[in-house]
Amino acid sequence: MTVETSAFRWSDRYSVNIAELDRQHQGFLAIVHELNQALATGEGAAVTHSILQRLVEYAHTHFPAEEALMTEHKFPTLLTHCAEHDRFTRLVAKFLEDYYAGKAGVPVSLMLFLQTWLKEHILVSDKAYRSFLNARGVY
Ligand SMILES: [Fe+2]
Ligand SMILES: [Fe+2]
């Protein structure tokens, strides 16, 4: 079986041109890539708990880092951005709850959620602060 290995690899199109945040986004992509690979080989259920724990950790380190920079430089859509982060954190907690409750389909639903997050948050909302923060000397 051939498994798609490049779908969730880091590329320049994800870059916000701020070293620490790019590193954290690379970590996020690595998590999504791992879940995708596990699903492709029928191992989704086996990695779900560890994936969810790493997503909790990601949210605890990455969101405050972004929010601190946006707050410091008075990024205009800070509140909307924070609301998206809060929603991510709540949904990951809900996925963990469903996982502990033994609910079916958690790995696949989680994968769809992460793909959407990548497309709608990292590639849109996060990219929106790139030039604003770069213009204020944040790299
Ligand atoms: Fe963000
Ligand atoms: Fe981000």
Side-chain angles (χ1 to χ4, degrees):
M1 182 169 150
T2 308
V3 175
E4 173 58 64
T5 53
S6 62
F8 301 106
R9 290 293 191 202
W10 173 262
S11 79
D12 271 355
R13 77 194 181 104
Y14 293 115
S15 178
V16 293
N17 204 31
I18 297 168
E20 184 196 8
L21 301 182
D22 277 349
R23 261 197 308 279
Q24 293 169 344
H25 285 152
Q26 283 164 9
F28 177 79
L29 273 163
I31 297 171
V32 182
H33 177 75
E34 188 181 317
L35 178 59
N36 188 49
Q37 292 292 92
L39 284 169
T41 53
E43 300 294 318
V47 300
T48 301
H49 189 240
S50 125
I51 295 280
L52 283 167
Q53 284 179 320
R54 286 155 66 191
L55 289 171
V56 169
E57 182 58 32
Y58 169 78
H60 282 157
T61 53
H62 176 63
F63 294 162
E66 274 188 0
E67 290 170 14
L69 285 172
M70 289 188 285
T71 302
E72 184 186 345
H73 296 280
K74 300 182 171 58
F75 184 61
T77 56
L78 167 71
L79 290 182
T80 325
H81 199 121
C82 293
E84 289 180 24
H85 287 172
D86 290 348
R87 184 172 170 272
F88 179 100
T89 303
R90 279 198 312 274
L91 284 172
V92 167
K94 178 73 170 71
F95 276 116
L96 258 177
E97 234 179 83
D98 290 348
Y99 171 83
Y100 287 128
K103 204 169 158 183
V106 172
V108 172
S109 308
L110 178 61
M111 186 64 207
L112 293 173
F113 165 65
L114 296 177
Q115 267 179 284
T116 304
W117 180 260
L118 200 52
K119 204 168 71 184
E120 295 179 357
H121 188 84
I122 295 184
L123 284 175
V124 178
S125 306
D126 284 350
K127 289 299 275 289
Y129 63 60
R130 175 185 162 134
S131 52
F132 180 90
L133 290 175
N134 284 173
R136 282 153 184 82
V138 184
Y139 289 98

